[in-house]
Amino acid sequence: MEQNAPSTCMDMPTSLKRDTHPPPTLADDESLAVAAARDMDAFAELYRRYAERIYRYLLARTGGVDDAQELTAATFFSALEAIGRYRRGHFRAWLFGIARHHASHHFRRAQQLVALDECLNANISVEELAIEHLRAADVMRALHTLAPERAEALALRLLAGLTPAEVAQIMGKREGTVRVLVHRAIREMRERLESEV
């Protein structure tokens, strides 16, 4: 197993930093998705590739580490159950669509946003942890003040690392509309964060 890949949802980092590994090619994903219907190793590779991205997206949506971990596990469990019915197309959009469905179901059930949980990271000092937590908390707070559609587009595009075309497919919007939503969300968040300084 790769050192950088979390072994379980419980090992997911709380940082909102982007992946440092180059994204897998869409052709690789498609081949693995088709093979995953009959080969658990192929599904395990898809999990390694996408678990952190799904987790970051769900953390941005829920604001809670425990909720994000639970929804990440539910997303992959649902994907595993449905992988035999997956038809070639856009695997990432299909997988993030499942995550989006679970997040929507979570909010319908909970009817409230959950605050970002405290998490200790033994690899950094207490001061660094506090600064990182404050920055992440500020970003999360600003994200949750956005209109839901803008927050969704921003989380899928930047935190999950999806392309505008993939975000458009998931949200049922045109690619240009997604670009506008993301641009406006970034501008609005920047204004909110600058006004707090």
Side-chain angles (χ1 to χ4, degrees), residues 53-74:
R53 290 179 186 188
I54 293 289
Y55 170 79
R56 282 194 323 247
Y57 164 68
L58 292 167
L59 179 63
R61 288 290 313 274
T62 65
V65 171
D66 291 338
D67 290 333
Q69 290 173 344
E70 180 182 323
L71 293 172
T72 299

Side-chain angles (χ1 to χ4, degrees), residues 11-84:
D11 297 331
M12 291 292 174
T14 57
S15 171
L16 297 179
K17 296 177 185 170
R18 296 189 72 147
D19 288 349
T20 56
H21 302 310
T25 67
L26 297 178
D28 291 344
D29 289 346
E30 294 302 315
S31 298
L32 281 171
V34 170
R38 60 189 182 289
D39 179 5
M40 283 304 294
D41 289 337
F43 189 83
E45 177 60 25
L46 290 169
Y47 175 84
R48 281 189 287 279
R49 289 181 180 192
Y50 288 102
E52 187 173 338
R53 290 179 186 188
I54 293 289
Y55 170 79
R56 282 194 323 247
Y57 164 68
L58 292 167
L59 179 63
R61 288 290 313 274
T62 65
V65 171
D66 291 338
D67 290 333
Q69 290 173 344
E70 180 182 323
L71 293 172
T72 299
T75 296
F76 280 96
F77 183 74
S78 294
L80 181 60
E81 287 182 323
I83 197 75

Side-chain angles (χ1 to χ4, degrees), residues 18 30 63 77 103 109 112 121 147 168 174 196:
R18 296 189 72 147
E30 294 302 315
F77 183 74
R109 225 178 40 234
Q112 62 183 356
N121 183 345
R174 290 196 283 184
E196 292 177 5

Side-chain angles (χ1 to χ4, degrees), residues 18 56-57 60-61 139 142-144 146-162 167 171 178-190 193:
R18 296 189 72 147
R56 282 194 323 247
Y57 164 68
R61 288 290 313 274
V139 169
L143 184 66
H144 289 295
L146 297 174
E149 206 168 56
R150 287 182 184 177
E152 176 83 5
L154 185 65
L156 286 168
R157 178 70 180 109
L158 299 181
L159 300 176
L162 299 180
V167 175
M171 293 183 71
V178 167
R179 290 180 191 278
V180 170
L181 287 169
V182 170
H183 174 77
R184 289 180 179 165
I186 291 171
R187 186 183 66 215
E188 189 176 331
M189 281 186 62
R190 182 180 299 130
L193 291 171

